[in-house]
Amino acid sequence: MASTTREQQVLQVRAALILAARRRTLVTYKELGLAIGMTGVALSSHMGRVLDDLSDQCIAAGEPSLAALVVNSATGAPGKGYEDGGVPWHTEVQEVFRHWPQP
């Protein structure tokens, strides 16, 4: 997958997750994939890398990680790839909600 495509996906995922943050909602991997046109094998094999890139961008910008809003549809828990840097997941979600206020 070309890096430009992944960069575009990161931008799309960022926009979708900022909207979710402002609505104070969590998003499943499938919902997020559908929002940006990623399904099937691409979703299962590439979304983790897109979310990692997004987290890196958020951290570099001094923002809480938007990736914290993405959960497993069956369990409601964050994905196994979620790295909280020592901050509990639910605390990070609350930080995301505070950082992007409701309109």
Side-chain angles (χ1 to χ4, degrees):
M1 180 175 292
S3 64
T4 301
T5 301
R6 189 150 90 209
E7 290 169 11
Q8 292 169 341
Q9 290 169 333
V10 170
L11 291 173
Q12 291 173 319
V13 164
R14 179 178 173 83
L17 291 176
I18 288 173
L19 182 60
R22 289 187 170 148
R23 290 180 176 170
R24 305 297 185 255
T25 59
L26 300 176
V27 179
T28 67
Y29 286 92
K30 184 176 181 179
E31 291 168 336
L32 186 58
L34 290 173
I36 68 163
M38 185 186 291
T39 59
V41 174
L43 177 62
S44 62
S45 62
H46 298 295
M47 184 59 81
R49 283 177 260 174
V50 170
L51 290 172
D52 286 345
D53 289 354
L54 175 61
S55 287
D56 291 344
Q57 284 184 4
C58 289
I59 291 165
E63 302 168 341
S65 177
L66 287 160
L69 300 182
V70 185
V71 298
N72 181 293
S73 62
T75 65
K80 63 183 175 185
Y82 177 78
E83 295 181 22
D84 62 11
V87 177
W89 169 72
H90 63 279
T91 301
E92 186 74 4
V93 169
Q94 291 303 312
E95 285 296 317
V96 170
F97 289 165
R98 278 191 286 278
H99 188 79
W100 282 278
Q102 292 176 309

Coordinates of all heavy atoms in Angstrom, one line a residue:
M1 N 0.8 -1.2 0.0 CA 0.0 0.0 0.0 C 0.9 1.2 0.0 O 1.8 1.4 0.8 CB -0.9 0.0 1.2 CG -1.8 1.2 1.3 SD -3.0 1.1 2.7 CE -4.0 -0.2 2.1
A2 N 0.6 2.2 -0.9 CA 1.5 3.4 -1.0 C 1.3 4.2 0.2 O 0.2 4.3 0.8 CB 1.0 4.1 -2.3
S3 N 2.4 4.9 0.6 CA 2.3 5.7 1.8 C 1.4 6.9 1.6 O 0.7 7.3 2.6 CB 3.7 6.3 2.1 OG 4.2 7.1 1.1
T4 N 1.2 7.4 0.4 CA 0.3 8.5 0.1 C -1.1 8.0 0.5 O -1.9 8.8 1.1 CB 0.4 9.0 -1.3 OG1 1.7 9.4 -1.6 CG2 -0.6 10.1 -1.6
T5 N -1.5 6.8 0.1 CA -2.8 6.3 0.4 C -3.0 6.2 1.9 O -4.0 6.6 2.4 CB -3.0 4.9 -0.3 OG1 -2.8 5.0 -1.7 CG2 -4.3 4.3 0.1
R6 N -2.0 5.7 2.6 CA -2.1 5.6 4.0 C -2.1 7.0 4.7 O -2.9 7.2 5.6 CB -0.9 4.8 4.6 CG -1.2 4.5 6.1 CD -0.6 3.3 6.6 NE 0.7 3.5 7.2 CZ 1.7 2.6 7.2 NH1 1.5 1.4 6.7 NH2 2.9 2.8 7.7
E7 N -1.4 7.9 4.2 CA -1.5 9.3 4.7 C -2.9 9.9 4.5 O -3.4 10.5 5.4 CB -0.5 10.2 4.0 CG 1.0 9.9 4.3 CD 2.0 10.6 3.4 OE1 1.6 11.5 2.7 OE2 3.2 10.3 3.5
Q8 N -3.5 9.6 3.4 CA -4.9 10.0 3.1 C -5.8 9.3 4.1 O -6.8 9.9 4.6 CB -5.3 9.7 1.7 CG -4.6 10.6 0.7 CD -4.8 10.1 -0.8 OE1 -5.2 9.0 -1.0 NE2 -4.5 11.0 -1.7
Q9 N -5.6 8.0 4.3 CA -6.4 7.3 5.2 C -6.3 7.8 6.7 O -7.3 7.9 7.4 CB -6.1 5.8 5.2 CG -6.5 5.1 3.9 CD -5.9 3.7 3.8 OE1 -4.9 3.4 4.3 NE2 -6.6 2.9 3.0
V10 N -5.1 8.2 7.0 CA -4.9 8.8 8.4 C -5.7 10.0 8.5 O -6.3 10.3 9.5 CB -3.4 9.0 8.7 CG1 -3.2 9.8 9.9 CG2 -2.7 7.7 8.8
L11 N -5.7 10.9 7.5 CA -6.4 12.1 7.5 C -7.9 11.9 7.6 O -8.7 12.5 8.3 CB -6.1 13.0 6.3 CG -4.7 13.6 6.2 CD1 -4.5 14.3 4.9 CD2 -4.5 14.6 7.4
Q12 N -8.4 10.9 6.8 CA -9.8 10.5 6.9 C -10.2 10.0 8.2 O -11.3 10.3 8.8 CB -10.1 9.5 5.8 CG -10.1 10.0 4.4 CD -10.2 8.9 3.4 OE1 -9.7 7.8 3.5 NE2 -10.9 9.2 2.3
V13 N -9.4 9.1 8.8 CA -9.7 8.5 10.1 C -9.6 9.6 11.2 O -10.5 9.6 12.1 CB -8.6 7.4 10.4 CG1 -8.6 7.0 11.9 CG2 -9.0 6.1 9.6
R14 N -8.7 10.5 11.1 CA -8.6 11.6 12.0 C -9.9 12.4 12.0 O -10.5 12.7 13.1 CB -7.4 12.5 11.7 CG -7.3 13.7 12.6 CD -6.1 14.6 12.3 NE -6.1 15.8 13.1 CZ -5.7 15.9 14.3 NH1 -5.2 14.8 15.0 NH2 -5.7 17.0 15.0
A15 N -10.4 12.8 10.8 CA -11.6 13.5 10.7 C -12.8 12.8 11.3 O -13.6 13.4 12.0 CB -11.9 13.9 9.2
A16 N -12.9 11.5 11.0 CA -14.0 10.7 11.5 C -14.0 10.6 13.0 O -15.0 10.7 13.7 CB -14.0 9.3 10.9
L17 N -12.8 10.5 13.6 CA -12.6 10.3 15.0 C -12.8 11.6 15.8 O -13.3 11.6 16.9 CB -11.3 9.6 15.4 CG -11.2 8.2 15.0 CD1 -9.9 7.6 15.3 CD2 -12.4 7.3 15.6
I18 N -12.5 12.7 15.1 CA -12.7 14.0 15.8 C -14.3 14.2 15.8 O -14.8 14.7 16.9 CB -12.1 15.2 15.0 CG1 -10.5 15.1 15.3 CG2 -12.6 16.5 15.4 CD1 -9.7 16.1 14.4
L19 N -15.0 13.8 14.8 CA -16.4 13.9 14.8 C -17.0 13.0 15.9 O -17.9 13.5 16.7 CB -17.0 13.5 13.5 CG -18.5 13.6 13.3 CD1 -19.0 15.0 13.5 CD2 -18.9 13.1 11.9
A20 N -16.5 11.8 16.1 CA -16.9 10.9 17.2 C -16.6 11.5 18.5 O -17.4 11.5 19.4 CB -16.2 9.5 17.0
A21 N -15.4 12.1 18.7 CA -15.1 12.8 19.9 C -16.0 13.9 20.3 O -16.5 14.0 21.4 CB -13.6 13.3 19.9
R22 N -16.4 14.7 19.3 CA -17.3 15.8 19.6 C -18.7 15.3 19.9 O -19.5 15.9 20.6 CB -17.3 16.7 18.4 CG -16.1 17.5 18.3 CD -16.1 18.6 17.2 NE -14.9 19.4 17.4 CZ -14.3 20.0 16.4 NH1 -14.7 19.9 15.2 NH2 -13.2 20.7 16.6
R23 N -19.0 14.1 19.4 CA -20.3 13.5 19.7 C -20.3 12.6 21.0 O -21.3 12.1 21.4 CB -20.8 12.6 18.5 CG -21.2 13.4 17.3 CD -21.6 12.4 16.2 NE -22.0 13.2 15.1 CZ -22.3 12.6 13.9 NH1 -22.1 11.3 13.7 NH2 -22.7 13.4 12.9
R24 N -19.1 12.5 21.5 CA -18.9 11.7 22.8 C -19.2 10.2 22.5 O -19.9 9.6 23.3 CB -19.6 12.3 23.9 CG -19.4 13.7 24.2 CD -17.9 13.9 24.6 NE -17.6 15.2 25.0 CZ -16.9 16.1 24.3 NH1 -16.5 15.8 23.1 NH2 -16.6 17.3 24.8
T25 N -18.8 9.7 21.4 CA -19.1 8.3 21.1 C -17.8 7.5 20.8 O -16.8 8.1 20.4 CB -20.0 8.2 19.9 OG1 -19.4 8.8 18.7 CG2 -21.4 8.8 20.1
L26 N -17.9 6.2 21.0 CA -16.9 5.3 20.6 C -17.2 4.8 19.2 O -18.4 4.8 18.8 CB -16.7 4.1 21.6 CG -16.4 4.5 23.0 CD1 -16.4 3.3 23.9 CD2 -15.1 5.3 23.1
V27 N -16.3 4.2 18.5 CA -16.5 3.8 17.1 C -15.8 2.4 17.0 O -14.7 2.1 17.5 CB -15.8 4.7 16.1 CG1 -15.9 4.2 14.7 CG2 -16.3 6.1 16.3
T28 N -16.5 1.5 16.4 CA -15.9 0.1 16.1 C -15.0 0.2 14.9 O -15.1 1.1 14.1 CB -17.0 -1.0 15.9 OG1 -17.7 -0.7 14.6 CG2 -18.0 -1.0 17.0
Y29 N -14.1 -0.8 14.9 CA -13.2 -0.9 13.7 C -14.0 -0.9 12.4 O -13.7 -0.3 11.4 CB -12.3 -2.1 13.8 CG -11.2 -1.9 14.9 CD1 -11.4 -2.3 16.2 CD2 -10.0 -1.3 14.6 CE1 -10.4 -2.2 17.1 CE2 -9.0 -1.2 15.5 CZ -9.3 -1.6 16.8 OH -8.3 -1.4 17.8
K30 N -15.1 -1.7 12.4 CA -15.9 -1.9 11.2 C -16.5 -0.5 10.8 O -16.6 -0.2 9.6 CB -17.0 -2.9 11.4 CG -17.8 -3.2 10.2 CD -18.7 -4.4 10.4 CE -19.5 -4.6 9.1 NZ -20.5 -5.8 9.3
E31 N -17.1 0.2 11.8 CA -17.7 1.5 11.5 C -16.7 2.4 11.0 O -17.0 3.2 10.0 CB -18.3 2.1 12.8 CG -19.6 1.3 13.3 CD -20.0 1.7 14.7 OE1 -19.2 2.2 15.5 OE2 -21.2 1.5 15.0
L32 N -15.5 2.5 11.5 CA -14.5 3.4 11.1 C -14.1 3.0 9.7 O -13.9 3.9 8.8 CB -13.3 3.3 12.0 CG -12.2 4.3 11.7 CD1 -12.7 5.8 11.7 CD2 -11.1 4.2 12.8
G33 N -13.9 1.7 9.4 CA -13.6 1.2 8.1 C -14.6 1.7 7.0 O -14.2 2.2 6.0
L34 N -15.8 1.5 7.4 CA -16.9 1.9 6.5 C -16.9 3.4 6.2 O -17.1 3.8 5.1 CB -18.3 1.4 7.0 CG -18.6 -0.1 7.0 CD1 -19.9 -0.4 7.7 CD2 -18.6 -0.6 5.5
A35 N -16.6 4.2 7.2 CA -16.6 5.6 7.1 C -15.5 6.1 6.1 O -15.7 7.1 5.5 CB -16.3 6.3 8.4
I36 N -14.4 5.3 5.9 CA -13.4 5.7 5.0 C -13.2 4.8 3.8 O -12.3 4.9 3.0 CB -12.0 5.8 5.8 CG1 -11.5 4.5 6.2 CG2 -12.1 6.8 6.9 CD1 -10.0 4.5 6.5
G37 N -14.2 3.8 3.7 CA -14.1 2.9 2.5 C -13.2 1.8 2.6 O -12.7 1.3 1.6
M38 N -12.8 1.4 3.8 CA -11.9 0.3 4.0 C -12.7 -0.9 4.6 O -13.3 -0.8 5.7 CB -10.8 0.7 5.0 CG -9.7 -0.3 5.2 SD -8.5 0.1 6.5 CE -7.6 1.4 5.7
T39 N -12.7 -2.0 3.9 CA -13.4 -3.2 4.4 C -12.5 -4.4 4.1 O -11.5 -4.4 3.5 CB -14.7 -3.4 3.6 OG1 -14.4 -3.5 2.2 CG2 -15.7 -2.2 3.8
G40 N -13.0 -5.6 4.6 CA -12.4 -6.8 4.4 C -11.0 -6.9 4.8 O -10.6 -6.5 5.9
V41 N -10.1 -7.5 4.0 CA -8.7 -7.7 4.3 C -8.0 -6.4 4.6 O -7.2 -6.4 5.5 CB -8.0 -8.5 3.1 CG1 -6.6 -8.6 3.4 CG2 -8.7 -9.9 2.9
A42 N -8.3 -5.4 3.8 CA -7.6 -4.1 4.0 C -7.9 -3.6 5.5 O -7.0 -3.1 6.1 CB -8.1 -3.1 3.0
L43 N -9.2 -3.8 5.9 CA -9.5 -3.3 7.3 C -8.7 -4.1 8.3 O -8.1 -3.5 9.2 CB -11.0 -3.5 7.5 CG -11.5 -3.1 8.9 CD1 -11.3 -1.7 9.2 CD2 -13.0 -3.5 9.0
S44 N -8.7 -5.4 8.2 CA -8.0 -6.2 9.2 C -6.5 -6.1 9.1 O -5.9 -6.2 10.2 CB -8.5 -7.7 9.1 OG -8.1 -8.2 7.8
S45 N -6.0 -5.9 8.0 CA -4.5 -5.9 7.9 C -3.9 -4.5 7.9 O -2.7 -4.3 8.2 CB -4.0 -6.6 6.6 OG -4.5 -6.0 5.5
H46 N -4.7 -3.4 7.6 CA -4.1 -2.1 7.5 C -4.6 -1.1 8.5 O -3.9 -0.1 8.8 CB -4.3 -1.5 6.1 CG -3.7 -2.3 5.0 ND1 -2.3 -2.5 4.9 CD2 -4.2 -3.0 4.0 CE1 -2.0 -3.2 3.9 NE2 -3.2 -3.6 3.3
M47 N -5.7 -1.3 9.1 CA -6.3 -0.3 10.0 C -5.4 -0.1 11.2 O -5.2 1.1 11.7 CB -7.7 -0.6 10.5 CG -8.4 0.4 11.4 SD -8.5 2.1 10.6 CE -10.0 1.8 9.6
G48 N -4.8 -1.1 11.7 CA -3.9 -1.0 12.9 C -2.7 0.0 12.6 O -2.4 0.8 13.4
R49 N -2.2 -0.1 11.4 CA -1.1 0.8 11.0 C -1.6 2.2 10.8 O -0.9 3.2 11.2 CB -0.4 0.3 9.8 CG 0.5 -0.9 10.1 CD 1.1 -1.4 8.8 NE 0.3 -2.6 8.5 CZ 0.4 -3.3 7.4 NH1 1.3 -3.0 6.5 NH2 -0.3 -4.4 7.3
V50 N -2.7 2.4 10.3 CA -3.3 3.7 10.1 C -3.5 4.3 11.5 O -3.2 5.5 11.7 CB -4.7 3.7 9.3 CG1 -5.4 5.0 9.4 CG2 -4.4 3.2 7.9
L51 N -4.1 3.6 12.5 CA -4.3 4.1 13.8 C -3.0 4.4 14.5 O -2.9 5.3 15.3 CB -5.1 3.1 14.6 CG -6.6 3.0 14.2 CD1 -7.3 1.9 14.9 CD2 -7.3 4.4 14.4
D52 N -1.9 3.5 14.3 CA -0.6 3.8 14.8 C -0.1 5.1 14.3 O 0.5 6.0 15.1 CB 0.4 2.7 14.5 CG 0.1 1.4 15.3 OD1 -0.6 1.5 16.3 OD2 0.7 0.4 14.9
D53 N -0.2 5.4 13.0 CA 0.3 6.6 12.4 C -0.5 7.8 13.0 O 0.1 8.9 13.3 CB 0.1 6.6 10.9 CG 1.1 5.7 10.2 OD1 2.0 5.1 10.9 OD2 1.0 5.5 9.0
L54 N -1.8 7.6 13.2 CA -2.6 8.7 13.7 C -2.2 9.0 15.2 O -2.1 10.2 15.6 CB -4.1 8.3 13.7 CG -5.1 9.3 14.4 CD1 -5.0 10.7 13.7 CD2 -6.5 8.8 14.4
S55 N -2.0 7.9 16.0 CA -1.5 8.1 17.3 C -0.2 8.9 17.4 O 0.0 9.8 18.2 CB -1.4 6.8 18.1 OG -2.6 6.2 18.3
D56 N 0.7 8.5 16.5 CA 2.0 9.3 16.4 C 1.8 10.7 16.1 O 2.4 11.6 16.8 CB 2.9 8.6 15.4 CG 3.4 7.3 15.7 OD1 3.3 6.9 16.9 OD2 3.9 6.6 14.8
Q57 N 0.9 11.0 15.2 CA 0.6 12.4 14.9 C 0.0 13.2 16.1 O 0.3 14.3 16.4 CB -0.4 12.5 13.7 CG 0.2 12.3 12.4 CD -0.8 12.5 11.3 OE1 -2.0 12.9 11.5 NE2 -0.4 12.2 10.1
C58 N -1.0 12.5 16.8 CA -1.6 13.1 17.9 C -0.6 13.4 19.0 O -0.6 14.5 19.6 CB -2.7 12.2 18.5 SG -4.2 12.0 17.5
I59 N 0.3 12.5 19.3 CA 1.3 12.6 20.3 C 2.3 13.8 19.9 O 2.6 14.6 20.8 CB 2.1 11.3 20.5 CG1 1.2 10.3 21.2 CG2 3.3 11.5 21.4 CD1 1.7 8.9 21.1
A60 N 2.7 13.8 18.7 CA 3.6 14.9 18.2 C 2.9 16.3 18.3 O 3.6 17.3 18.6 CB 4.0 14.6 16.8
A61 N 1.6 16.3 18.2 CA 0.9 17.6 18.3 C 0.4 17.9 19.7 O -0.2 18.9 20.0 CB -0.4 17.5 17.4
G62 N 0.8 17.0 20.7 CA 0.4 17.3 22.1 C -1.0 17.0 22.4 O -1.6 17.5 23.3
E63 N -1.7 16.2 21.5 CA -3.1 15.8 21.7 C -3.2 14.4 22.3 O -2.3 13.6 22.1 CB -3.8 15.8 20.3 CG -3.7 17.1 19.6 CD -4.1 17.0 18.1 OE1 -4.2 15.9 17.6 OE2 -4.4 18.0 17.5
P64 N -4.3 14.2 22.9 CA -4.6 12.8 23.3 C -4.8 11.9 22.1 O -5.3 12.5 21.1 CB -5.8 12.9 24.2 CG -6.5 14.1 23.8 CD -5.4 15.1 23.3
S65 N -4.6 10.7 22.2 CA -4.7 9.8 21.0 C -6.2 9.5 20.6 O -6.9 8.9 21.4 CB -4.0 8.5 21.2 OG -4.2 7.6 20.1
L66 N -6.6 9.9 19.4 CA -7.9 9.7 18.9 C -8.2 8.2 18.8 O -9.3 7.7 18.8 CB -8.1 10.4 17.6 CG -8.3 11.9 17.7 CD1 -8.0 12.5 16.3 CD2 -9.7 12.2 18.2
A67 N -7.1 7.4 18.6 CA -7.2 5.9 18.4 C -7.9 5.3 19.6 O -8.4 4.2 19.5 CB -5.9 5.3 18.1
A68 N -7.9 6.0 20.8 CA -8.5 5.4 22.0 C -10.0 5.2 21.8 O -10.6 4.4 22.5 CB -8.2 6.3 23.2
L69 N -10.6 5.9 20.8 CA -12.0 5.8 20.6 C -12.5 4.6 19.8 O -13.7 4.4 19.7 CB -12.5 7.1 19.9 CG -12.3 8.4 20.6 CD1 -12.9 9.6 19.8 CD2 -12.9 8.4 22.0
V70 N -11.5 3.9 19.3 CA -11.8 2.7 18.4 C -11.8 1.4 19.3 O -10.9 1.1 20.0 CB -10.8 2.6 17.3 CG1 -11.2 1.5 16.3 CG2 -10.7 3.9 16.5
V71 N -13.0 0.7 19.2 CA -13.2 -0.5 20.0 C -13.6 -1.7 19.2 O -14.1 -1.5 18.1 CB -14.2 -0.2 21.2 CG1 -13.7 0.9 22.1 CG2 -15.6 0.2 20.6
N72 N -13.5 -2.8 19.8 CA -13.9 -4.1 19.2 C -15.5 -4.1 19.3 O -16.0 -3.9 20.4 CB -13.3 -5.2 20.0 CG -13.6 -6.6 19.4 OD1 -14.8 -7.0 19.5 ND2 -12.7 -7.2 18.9
S73 N -16.1 -4.5 18.3 CA -17.6 -4.5 18.3 C -18.1 -5.6 19.2 O -19.2 -5.5 19.8 CB -18.2 -4.7 16.9 OG -17.7 -5.9 16.3
A74 N -17.4 -6.7 19.4 CA -17.9 -7.8 20.2 C -17.7 -7.5 21.7 O -18.5 -7.9 22.5 CB -17.2 -9.1 19.8
T75 N -16.6 -6.9 22.0 CA -16.2 -6.7 23.4 C -16.4 -5.3 24.0 O -16.5 -5.1 25.2 CB -14.8 -7.1 23.7 OG1 -13.9 -6.2 23.0 CG2 -14.5 -8.6 23.2
G76 N -16.4 -4.3 23.1 CA -16.4 -2.9 23.5 C -15.1 -2.4 24.1 O -15.0 -1.3 24.6
A77 N -14.1 -3.3 24.0 CA -12.8 -2.9 24.5 C -11.9 -2.4 23.4 O -12.1 -2.7 22.2 CB -12.1 -4.1 25.1
P78 N -10.9 -1.6 23.8 CA -9.9 -1.1 22.8 C -9.2 -2.3 22.1 O -9.1 -3.4 22.7 CB -9.0 -0.2 23.5 CG -9.1 -0.7 24.9 CD -10.4 -1.2 25.1
G79 N -8.7 -2.1 20.9 CA -8.0 -3.2 20.3 C -6.7 -3.6 21.0 O -6.2 -2.8 21.8
K80 N -6.2 -4.8 20.6 CA -5.0 -5.3 21.3 C -3.8 -4.4 21.0 O -2.8 -4.5 21.7 CB -4.8 -6.7 20.9 CG -4.5 -6.9 19.4 CD -4.4 -8.4 19.1 CE -4.2 -8.5 17.6 NZ -4.1 -9.9 17.2
G81 N -3.9 -3.7 19.9 CA -2.7 -2.8 19.6 C -2.7 -1.5 20.3 O -1.8 -0.7 20.2
Y82 N -3.7 -1.2 21.1 CA -3.8 0.1 21.8 C -2.7 0.2 22.9 O -2.6 -0.7 23.7 CB -5.2 0.3 22.5 CG -5.2 1.6 23.3 CD1 -5.4 2.8 22.7 CD2 -5.1 1.6 24.7 CE1 -5.4 4.0 23.4 CE2 -5.1 2.8 25.4 CZ -5.3 3.9 24.7 OH -5.3 5.1 25.4
E83 N -1.9 1.2 22.8 CA -0.8 1.4 23.8 C -1.1 2.7 24.5 O -1.2 3.8 23.9 CB 0.5 1.5 23.1 CG 0.9 0.2 22.4 CD 2.2 0.2 21.8 OE1 3.1 1.1 22.1 OE2 2.5 -0.6 20.9
D84 N -1.3 2.6 25.8 CA -1.8 3.8 26.5 C -0.7 4.6 27.1 O -0.9 5.6 27.8 CB -2.8 3.4 27.5 CG -2.3 2.5 28.6 OD1 -1.1 2.3 28.7 OD2 -3.1 2.0 29.4
G85 N 0.6 4.2 27.0 CA 1.7 5.0 27.6 C 1.6 5.2 29.1 O 2.0 6.2 29.6
G86 N 1.0 4.2 29.7 CA 0.8 4.3 31.2 C -0.5 4.9 31.7 O -0.7 5.0 32.8
V87 N -1.3 5.4 30.7 CA -2.6 6.0 31.1 C -3.7 5.0 30.8 O -3.7 4.4 29.7 CB -2.8 7.3 30.2 CG1 -4.2 7.9 30.5 CG2 -1.7 8.3 30.4
P88 N -4.5 4.8 31.8 CA -5.6 3.8 31.6 C -6.5 4.2 30.4 O -6.7 5.4 30.1 CB -6.4 3.9 32.8 CG -5.5 4.4 33.9 CD -4.6 5.3 33.1
W89 N -7.0 3.2 29.6 CA -7.7 3.5 28.4 C -8.9 4.5 28.7 O -9.1 5.4 27.9 CB -8.2 2.2 27.8 CG -9.2 2.4 26.7 CD1 -9.0 2.8 25.5 CD2 -10.6 2.1 26.8 NE1 -10.2 2.9 24.7 CE2 -11.2 2.4 25.5 CE3 -11.5 1.7 27.8 CZ2 -12.5 2.3 25.2 CZ3 -12.8 1.5 27.5 CH2 -13.4 1.9 26.2
H90 N -9.7 4.2 29.7 CA -10.9 5.1 29.9 C -10.4 6.5 30.2 O -11.2 7.5 29.9 CB -11.8 4.5 31.0 CG -11.1 4.5 32.4 ND1 -10.2 3.5 32.7 CD2 -11.1 5.3 33.4 CE1 -9.8 3.7 34.0 NE2 -10.3 4.8 34.4
T91 N -9.3 6.7 30.8 CA -8.8 8.1 31.1 C -8.4 8.8 29.8 O -8.7 9.9 29.6 CB -7.6 8.0 32.1 OG1 -8.0 7.4 33.3 CG2 -7.0 9.4 32.4
E92 N -7.8 8.0 28.9 CA -7.4 8.6 27.6 C -8.7 9.0 26.8 O -8.7 10.0 26.2 CB -6.6 7.6 26.8 CG -6.1 8.1 25.5 CD -4.9 9.1 25.7 OE1 -4.4 9.3 26.8 OE2 -4.5 9.7 24.6
V93 N -9.7 8.1 26.9 CA -11.0 8.5 26.2 C -11.6 9.8 26.7 O -12.0 10.6 26.0 CB -12.0 7.3 26.3 CG1 -13.4 7.8 25.9 CG2 -11.6 6.1 25.6
Q94 N -11.6 9.9 28.1 CA -12.1 11.2 28.7 C -11.2 12.4 28.2 O -11.7 13.5 28.0 CB -12.1 11.1 30.2 CG -13.1 10.1 30.7 CD -14.5 10.5 30.2 OE1 -15.0 11.6 30.3 NE2 -15.3 9.5 29.7
E95 N -9.9 12.2 28.1 CA -9.0 13.3 27.6 C -9.4 13.6 26.2 O -9.3 14.8 25.8 CB -7.5 12.8 27.7 CG -7.0 12.8 29.1 CD -7.0 14.2 29.8 OE1 -6.6 15.2 29.1 OE2 -7.4 14.3 30.9
V96 N -9.6 12.7 25.4 CA -10.0 12.9 24.0 C -11.3 13.7 24.0 O -11.4 14.7 23.2 CB -10.2 11.6 23.2 CG1 -10.9 11.8 21.8 CG2 -8.9 10.9 23.0
F97 N -12.3 13.3 24.8 CA -13.6 14.1 24.8 C -13.4 15.5 25.2 O -14.0 16.4 24.7 CB -14.6 13.4 25.7 CG -15.1 12.1 25.2 CD1 -15.8 11.2 26.0 CD2 -15.0 11.7 23.8 CE1 -16.3 10.0 25.6 CE2 -15.5 10.5 23.4 CZ -16.1 9.6 24.2
R98 N -12.5 15.7 26.2 CA -12.2 17.1 26.7 C -11.5 17.9 25.7 O -11.7 19.1 25.6 CB -11.4 17.1 28.0 CG -12.3 16.8 29.2 CD -11.5 17.0 30.5 NE -10.5 16.0 30.8 CZ -10.8 14.9 31.4 NH1 -12.1 14.6 31.8 NH2 -9.9 14.0 31.7
H99 N -10.6 17.3 24.9 CA -9.8 18.0 24.0 C -10.6 18.5 22.8 O -10.3 19.6 22.3 CB -8.6 17.1 23.5 CG -7.6 17.9 22.7 ND1 -6.6 18.6 23.2 CD2 -7.4 18.0 21.3 CE1 -5.9 19.2 22.3 NE2 -6.4 18.8 21.1
W100 N -11.5 17.7 22.3 CA -12.4 18.1 21.2 C -13.8 18.4 21.8 O -14.6 17.5 21.9 CB -12.4 17.1 20.1 CG -11.1 17.1 19.3 CD1 -10.9 17.9 18.3 CD2 -10.0 16.3 19.5 NE1 -9.6 17.7 17.8 CE2 -9.0 16.7 18.5 CE3 -9.6 15.3 20.4 CZ2 -7.8 16.1 18.4 CZ3 -8.4 14.7 20.3 CH2 -7.5 15.1 19.3
P101 N -14.1 19.7 22.1 CA -15.3 20.0 22.7 C -16.5 19.8 21.8 O -16.3 19.9 20.5 CB -15.2 21.5 23.1 CG -14.1 22.0 22.2 CD -13.2 20.8 21.9
Q102 N -17.7 19.6 22.3 CA -18.9 19.5 21.5 C -19.1 20.8 20.9 O -18.9 21.9 21.5 CB -20.1 19.1 22.4 CG -19.9 17.7 23.0 CD -21.0 17.3 23.9 OE1 -21.3 18.1 24.8 NE2 -21.7 16.2 23.7
P103 N -19.7 20.8 19.6 CA -20.0 22.1 18.9 C -21.1 22.8 19.6 O -21.9 22.3 20.3 CB -20.3 21.6 17.5 CG -20.4 20.1 17.5 CD -19.9 19.6 18.8

